[in-house]
Amino acid sequence: MKFTKNFFHDRQLKKLVAEIERINDLEKEFADFSLEKLKEESELLKKSVKESGDLESVLSRAFALVREAAKRTLNQRPFDVQLMGGIVIHQGGIAEMVTGEGKTLSAVAPVYLNALSGKGVHVVTVNDYLARRDAVWMGQIYYFLGLKISCLVPNGAFIYDPDWKIPTEEKEVTDEERDEVGSFLVKADFLRPVSRKEAYGADIVYGPNHEFGFDYLRDNLAYNEEGQVQRDHYFAIIDEVDSILIDEARTPLIIAAPDQQSSQFYRTFAQIVQKLKPDEDYEVDEKHRSVSITNEGIEKVEKMISIDNIYAPQNLRLVHYLEESLRARAIFKRDKNYVVKGDEVFIVDEFTGRLLHGRRYSGGLHQAIEAKERVSIREESRTYAKISIQNYFRLYDKISGMTGTAQTSAEEFFKVYNLNVASIPTNRPLVRKDLPDVIYKSQEAKWEAVVSEVKEKNKDGRPVLLGTTSIEKNELISALLSRANIPHEVLNAKNNEQEGSIIAQAGRVGAVTVATNMAGRGVDIILGGNPPVSGEAKKVKELGGLHVIGTERHEARRIDDQLRGRTGRQGDPGSSQFFLSLDDDLVRVFGGDRIKELMEKFKLPEDTPIEVGLVSKAVASAQAKVEGFNFDIRKHLLDYDDVLNRHRTNVYNKRKGILDDYREDKLADFLNETALEYLDIVISQPSEFFGDEQAGDPKPKDKTENLKLIFKKSGITSEDRPFPDDPSKENLAKLIKARSNEVGKDRQTMNRALGILDTLWMYHLENLEAIQESVRLRAYGQKDPLSEYREESRRAFRDFWHNFNAWIFLNVFKSEDQVAAHQRVVTVQNQGGDNKKGKVGRNDPCPCGSGKKYKKCHGQ
């Protein structure tokens, strides 16, 4: 297997080298071009691609042109290996490039080449800071070559414009917004605010992954084309592709709105679960991150809330509050999974260490955590739109990416996204020393050893970066360093606004920086500081470069490799080492027994570490188990989401069709066809609507009278359009056609149709969640939950379209007076949010204003 992999890699490398030679042959030609001549060349390439649609024929010239433009604008010449990475990216693969090899610049050539098509290229980043940085930094090259560049940020969008200056009266640019990138200063002045639609009209769009995903969902909730911002999904280049396509793939993108207040229940159950004892009243499965209540625990809860059976059908909502409150207490930890700032709970991204602003746990979990932490509890929400990261990026005709760590997840990239990984050689030999892991019996011994290691390195003036897996550990090691009188800087999600200034100084002589995973990806630590202090870079190199200390192994090997990659960049010296203990979560849960045997075998004192290859192998084995387990979880979620994705595609196509029909003046045809489908069901299945005398229905209803009532309630018949004396299907169809033509040109009609579709889709999403919950238990009955889910979902989707046809028939054709009357009824029924208070008696006057009794009007 290894031989085959190397054989194909070598063969691919030869092809890349041959292409690089062709690009290099053009370098002298382009070096002699004037600025005007280079821009003319770009226009010629654009014209060639427009006429032929062939990108391959212009690849060499496009890449050579980008190289020359980078030299002229950034004073940087892309290395051959960077162009190799660019070719892999263009071909729709993943370029694995060692950290520090310049992935950002590698992406420019394939971005430019594909942008020549005029279809728009999306460059996807892990956060909005990088989107702004790269749009301005790399934007200089694209702009020089005549392309338009934009970037997306939360609640905003910008076009790169070197001539733009923020008006003085509007200037609120903080120092952090002018972060240094190498020797280039990002100027916020260059980003001119524009509408999101204009931003998507650019040749190249930079933005965080969630901004693209949420815009897609919002586009499919818009009620007119003006409200839709995205173009077609042509090509996405994903920076830190493993972080976005793998690490974030377990959390779908969801658009939701507040539903109802349930804060008091969460507060009550937060207090109840505090009284339950672990192992006795509930059991925690750390591997699967789940918690289950025992029979003893159930009895305690029922006694506390004075209920005989909490699992009775009428109490199922209480079970929901209990389960989420128990998860919040037993599984989700403060300053690890989330932080509390002010009166809010913010999720911490376990892979990047950053706060996920605007993201909330679903299913009531976030409310349960808010109750646990005694902050304000926001309302639960109803889901209006939802998509997984996997299925969003599958919308694109082509995707590719780049990262420093992809080979450990190569199987998943290929199986899920059909992406191959190519490892790109380094520009200079990697001389970093990755020392073997050391492991201690206890955390106390480990922390003592870490402080001792930092003190030793700091004594010589060598800069040190300490990586932690949580904010809690981050603050703990900071306290220990302070006690040892070691000056240091702390970086975590609580002070992320100081990130730029802290990282800028992390490579200076004597610098000690304690950081979460925030400093483990996409961060460039310059030896000697940034900007470098005179002579310091040389001194740091003489000392051995930056020393990285990992204080705990992460579940994914890729995250550890990213931390190591902060040092030893571009041939610089550097070293790294991980300090572990048997109490660490990963070691304890997944590899503890085997490593414990090793510790006992050597019979070492508590403060003496094991530093042999067996330990590292055991830890790597534990990580491989976790990675495999997490892959299974993501694959499992994707299998279920694929069912939803088919439904979503169908519904969104229908939604687009309604908008197109209105724009093309064909809405009447859509209404006519939809109403006739419903009429066919009514006529072909009369017993469902009117009762069945043969089946023993005590009061079979008169079919003609009921058809008459249905048509009247729908608004198809009225005093001006009476129900026909001969209610044949042909005559009823004529009525439907006439009414469709009357209302088919009205925008309000389209809005009602879209509103019906959106509302039913919201209910359908909730139905599918309920089905997914219910089928899990069927595994105990030797049934495949996924097969059961597919079958039940198919039936639910069939019912969805049946309901859609019925709602169109009964709601879209109504007059404005009928709609207003119905709204008055709804308003009275829901006044104050109390149904009992707002309930209308059967003999009361109908709130619609008809003068009839409620039972004879809207109460029928």
Side-chain angles (χ1 to χ4, degrees):
M1 180 69 184
K2 187 174 181 181
F3 167 78
T4 307
K5 178 181 172 184
N6 288 340
F7 172 76
F8 281 110
H9 183 262
D10 291 344
R11 192 168 70 175
Q12 182 186 30
L13 200 58
K14 286 178 182 177
K15 288 183 178 179
L16 291 175
V17 169
E19 188 64 61
I20 295 302
E21 287 175 355
R22 285 191 285 273
I23 296 168
N24 287 344
D25 288 341
L26 295 166
E27 188 165 12
K28 187 175 186 312
E29 177 187 343
F30 284 172
D32 293 335
F33 279 13
S34 65
L35 295 180
E36 291 71 23
K37 183 72 173 170
L38 287 172
K39 291 178 180 178
E40 284 175 19
E41 178 70 19
S42 185
E43 286 301 315
L44 288 173
L45 292 178
K46 194 183 296 185
K47 184 179 178 182
S48 173
V49 170
K50 188 175 181 181
E51 291 173 352
S52 68
D54 182 14
L55 295 176
E56 303 306 318
S57 63
V58 300
L59 187 150
S60 298
R61 294 192 74 81
F63 273 53
L65 186 59
V66 165
R67 170 178 271 174
E68 188 60 33
K71 286 158 61 177
R72 306 269 183 114
T73 56
L74 304 184
N75 197 28
Q76 292 180 356
R77 179 189 179 277
F79 305 125
D80 288 357
V81 292
Q82 287 176 302
L83 295 184
M84 279 185 191
I87 295 170
V88 169
I89 291 167
H90 161 68
Q91 292 172 342
I94 293 175
E96 183 185 61
M97 302 176 69
V98 172
T99 51
E101 289 295 300
K103 293 185 291 294
T104 305
L105 191 55
S106 296
V108 175
V111 169
Y112 169 74
L113 173 61
N114 285 268
L116 292 174
S117 66
K119 296 178 183 177
V121 176
H122 295 170
V123 186
V124 186
T125 62
V126 289
N127 58 55
D128 53 298
Y129 160 70
L130 291 175
R132 288 196 309 269
R133 183 198 77 173
D134 294 351
V136 176
W137 190 14
M138 299 297 113
Q140 296 173 91
I141 301 174
Y142 305 126
Y143 188 85
F144 178 81
L145 295 174
L147 296 184
K148 194 175 181 182
I149 313 96
S150 67
C151 77
L152 308 172
V153 297
N155 305 313
F158 302 89
I159 288 285
Y160 172 72
D161 182 355
D163 298 324
W164 167 255
K165 297 292 180 186
I166 299 176
T168 306
E169 63 273 12
E170 297 177 15
K171 210 158 195 167
E172 293 182 3
V173 184
T174 64
D175 290 339
E176 289 71 31
E177 286 178 297
R178 297 177 177 275
D179 284 306
E180 295 229 2
V181 184
S183 60
F184 175 72
L185 185 66
V186 173
K187 294 183 185 290
D189 286 357
F190 290 175
L191 296 175
R192 173 166 54 84
V194 294
S195 70
R196 227 162 171 78
K197 196 177 187 78
E198 185 179 343
Y200 274 106
D203 299 298
I204 301 155
V205 187
Y206 280 85
N209 65 91
H210 50 81
E211 291 298 309
F212 290 107
F214 281 129
D215 281 340
Y216 169 73
L217 294 177
R218 282 189 285 264
D219 276 0
N220 285 284
L221 288 172
Y223 276 58
N224 53 59
E225 286 190 323
E226 294 74 36
Q228 296 178 321
V229 297
Q230 285 191 341
R231 294 199 278 168
D232 293 336
H233 296 83
Y234 166 58
F235 183 28
I237 296 177
I238 306 168
D239 190 11
E240 305 295 0
V241 64
D242 54 325
S243 175
I244 291 171
L245 293 189
I246 293 180
D247 297 340
E248 295 200 23
R250 282 187 284 179
T251 307
L253 302 172
I254 295 173
I255 290 180
D259 179 21
Q260 59 182 4
Q261 285 279 11
S262 50
S263 56
Q264 194 51 50
F265 283 105
Y266 282 113
R267 292 197 191 284
T268 299
F269 278 92
Q271 295 172 6
I272 287 171
V273 298
Q274 287 294 327
K275 299 174 183 176
L276 301 180
K277 298 176 181 176
D279 299 328
E280 180 181 317
D281 298 324
Y282 62 88
E283 296 173 349
V284 178
D285 185 338
E286 291 188 80
K287 286 187 181 180
H288 296 82
R289 290 181 60 76
S290 63
V291 57
S292 56
I293 192 165
T294 63
N295 289 331
E296 292 81 0
I298 292 169
E299 289 177 9
K300 280 187 182 179
V301 172
E302 288 173 342
K303 189 174 180 181
M304 282 187 269
I305 58 178
S306 303
I307 285 180
D308 293 333
N309 180 11
I310 194 172
Y311 288 95
Q314 66 270 24
N315 297 326
L316 285 181
R317 195 66 186 162
L318 300 181
V319 175
H320 167 74
Y321 297 132
L322 171 62
E323 289 178 345
E324 296 307 319
S325 299
L326 203 51
R327 286 180 70 207
R329 182 195 174 187
I331 303 294
F332 289 80
K333 307 299 183 186
R334 182 170 179 165
D335 288 342
K336 181 178 181 181
N337 306 107
Y338 64 89
V339 298
V340 179
K341 293 181 81 173
D343 195 39
E344 283 190 74
V345 170
F346 293 92
I347 301 173
V348 175
D349 187 327
E350 63 175 305
F351 300 101
T352 66
R354 299 177 186 275
L355 297 186
L356 296 177
H357 290 277
R359 299 276 284 274
R360 290 173 63 81
Y361 295 115
S362 59
L365 175 61
H366 211 98
Q367 287 79 5
I369 293 173
E370 287 169 333
K372 166 189 168 185
E373 297 295 344
R374 299 185 180 182
V375 299
S376 297
I377 300 175
R378 289 168 58 183
E379 296 171 320
E380 284 195 82
S381 300
R382 300 192 77 169
T383 300
Y384 284 86
K386 165 182 176 180
I387 193 169
S388 66
I389 292 289
Q390 294 103 317
N391 276 319
Y392 173 70
F393 283 107
R394 282 169 161 185
L395 293 171
Y396 286 85
D397 298 337
K398 180 170 73 170
I399 62 172
S400 63
M402 50 195 173
T403 181
T405 46
Q407 284 294 356
T408 55
S409 302
E411 179 188 2
E412 184 167 355
F413 281 125
F414 183 75
K415 285 185 175 179
V416 177
Y417 303 100
N418 198 30
L419 288 170
N420 287 305
V421 176
S423 297
I424 306 299
T426 57
N427 182 51
R428 295 176 182 170
L430 181 67
V431 297
R432 183 185 70 222
K433 296 177 182 176
D434 293 329
L435 303 171
D437 298 351
V438 289
I439 189 165
Y440 293 82
K441 282 187 178 179
S442 69
Q443 293 231 5
E444 290 77 12
K446 177 185 79 172
W447 293 125
E448 190 176 323
V450 167
V451 172
S452 177
E453 176 81 355
V454 174
K455 187 179 285 186
E456 182 183 333
K457 295 288 186 291
N458 186 247
K459 181 177 64 179
D460 299 328
R462 191 174 175 191
V464 178
L465 172 68
L466 293 105
T468 65
T469 57
S470 69
I471 297 171
E472 178 187 19
K473 300 288 172 60
N474 181 271
E475 293 175 341
L476 171 63
I477 190 65
S478 173
L480 293 173
L481 291 174
S482 296
R483 194 181 303 166
N485 296 316
I486 300 174
H488 62 281
E489 292 286 347
V490 177
L491 177 60
N492 59 46
K494 291 182 178 180
N495 68 336
N496 62 310
E497 59 278 349
Q498 299 172 34
E499 178 179 0
S501 57
I502 292 174
I503 292 301
Q505 304 306 317
R508 293 194 61 182
V509 172
V512 176
T513 310
V514 184
T516 57
N517 295 335
M518 285 176 66
R521 187 185 286 274
V523 171
D524 194 5
I525 297 176
I526 307 296
L527 298 187
N530 188 15
V533 177
S534 178
E536 282 215 3
K538 182 181 178 183
K539 185 175 180 182
V540 171
K541 288 179 182 180
E542 290 172 351
L543 290 169
L546 177 70
H547 182 57
V548 169
I549 297 175
T551 58
E552 197 169 342
R553 283 284 196 171
H554 197 275
E555 287 184 356
R557 285 169 288 177
R558 293 177 292 102
I559 311 301
D560 294 340
D561 291 342
Q562 287 285 352
L563 179 62
R564 288 190 195 275
R566 297 314 99 202
T567 185
R569 299 156 78 89
Q570 281 292 328
D572 283 344
S575 58
S576 69
Q577 188 167 34
F578 280 81
F579 285 66
L580 313 176
S581 82
L582 291 178
D583 300 336
D584 292 347
D585 290 345
L586 179 79
V587 178
R588 179 174 51 81
V589 176
F590 290 94
D593 294 339
R594 188 177 172 192
I595 296 172
K596 225 176 237 179
E597 288 174 12
L598 287 171
M599 297 291 283
E600 289 170 1
K601 180 181 177 182
F602 286 96
K603 295 182 180 177
L604 296 173
E606 189 160 307
D607 60 350
T608 303
I610 292 183
E611 190 176 347
V612 292
L614 282 174
V615 174
S616 295
K617 285 181 182 177
V619 172
S621 173
Q623 287 177 309
K625 286 180 190 174
V626 183
E627 288 167 0
F629 173 69
N630 288 336
F631 178 27
D632 290 341
I633 289 178
R634 289 189 293 270
K635 185 71 172 63
H636 178 75
L637 290 174
L638 186 60
D639 288 338
Y640 281 88
D641 193 63
D642 281 344
V643 176
L644 172 60
N645 195 50
R646 288 192 288 273
H647 295 185
R648 176 174 43 244
T649 302
N650 203 313
V651 169
Y652 284 0
N653 285 340
K654 173 70 79 173
R655 206 177 188 287
K656 183 178 183 299
I658 293 173
L659 285 164
D660 290 344
D661 284 343
Y662 176 75
R663 190 184 69 253
E664 297 167 9
D665 204 18
K666 295 178 181 177
L667 191 61
D669 295 338
F670 157 74
L671 297 174
N672 185 53
E673 291 169 13
T674 306
L676 285 177
E677 283 184 39
Y678 179 69
L679 182 64
D680 282 339
I681 294 173
V682 173
I683 293 173
S684 63
Q685 301 175 20
S687 62
E688 184 179 336
F689 298 90
F690 312 132
D692 189 347
E693 191 170 9
Q694 292 182 344
D697 192 318
K699 290 183 181 179
K701 299 169 185 176
D702 181 87
K703 295 176 181 60
T704 301
E705 283 301 310
N706 275 279
L707 268 173
K708 190 174 183 179
L709 182 62
I710 287 173
F711 270 73
K712 182 181 179 183
K713 282 190 169 184
S714 69
I716 294 174
T717 60
S718 63
E719 292 180 4
D720 299 329
R721 294 179 304 278
F723 193 78
D725 294 331
D726 174 19
S728 65
K729 183 178 178 181
E730 184 181 356
N731 286 337
L732 295 175
K734 286 179 181 177
L735 268 177
I736 291 171
K737 180 68 175 175
R739 185 59 178 150
S740 296
N741 287 334
E742 285 179 20
V743 302
K745 297 182 185 299
D746 188 356
R747 175 174 282 277
Q748 288 301 319
T749 303
M750 180 194 71
N751 289 347
R752 285 188 209 168
L754 294 177
I756 287 168
L757 189 63
D758 293 344
T759 302
L760 289 174
W761 178 240
M762 178 183 72
Y763 290 142
H764 186 64
L765 290 175
E766 292 176 350
N767 286 342
L768 292 188
E769 283 188 14
I771 292 170
Q772 190 170 344
E773 287 289 331
S774 68
V775 297
R776 288 177 186 168
L777 298 175
R778 299 183 196 177
Y780 295 107
Q782 305 303 308
K783 292 183 178 180
D784 176 27
L786 183 58
S787 298
E788 294 283 302
Y789 177 75
R790 284 172 177 154
E791 179 59 28
E792 291 212 18
S793 298
R794 185 185 62 79
R795 288 198 292 267
F797 201 49
R798 182 193 62 204
D799 291 343
F800 170 90
W801 287 119
H802 168 79
N803 289 334
F804 177 70
N805 294 339
W807 277 41
I808 289 289
F809 191 99
L810 294 170
N811 291 279
V812 166
F813 299 105
K814 289 177 178 175
S815 67
E816 290 303 315
D817 288 342
Q818 285 175 298
V819 173
H822 175 71
Q823 188 57 48
R824 285 197 293 273
V825 176
V826 171
T827 301
V828 172
Q829 290 283 36
N830 293 315
Q831 69 178 44
D834 183 341
N835 284 330
K836 291 182 180 178
K837 188 187 207 177
K839 189 172 180 181
V840 182
R842 285 178 52 74
N843 292 310
D844 293 341
C846 186
C848 75
S850 65
K852 298 179 183 179
K853 289 184 177 180
Y854 179 64
K855 67 181 180 182
K856 293 288 187 181
C857 192
H858 277 81
Q860 290 188 88

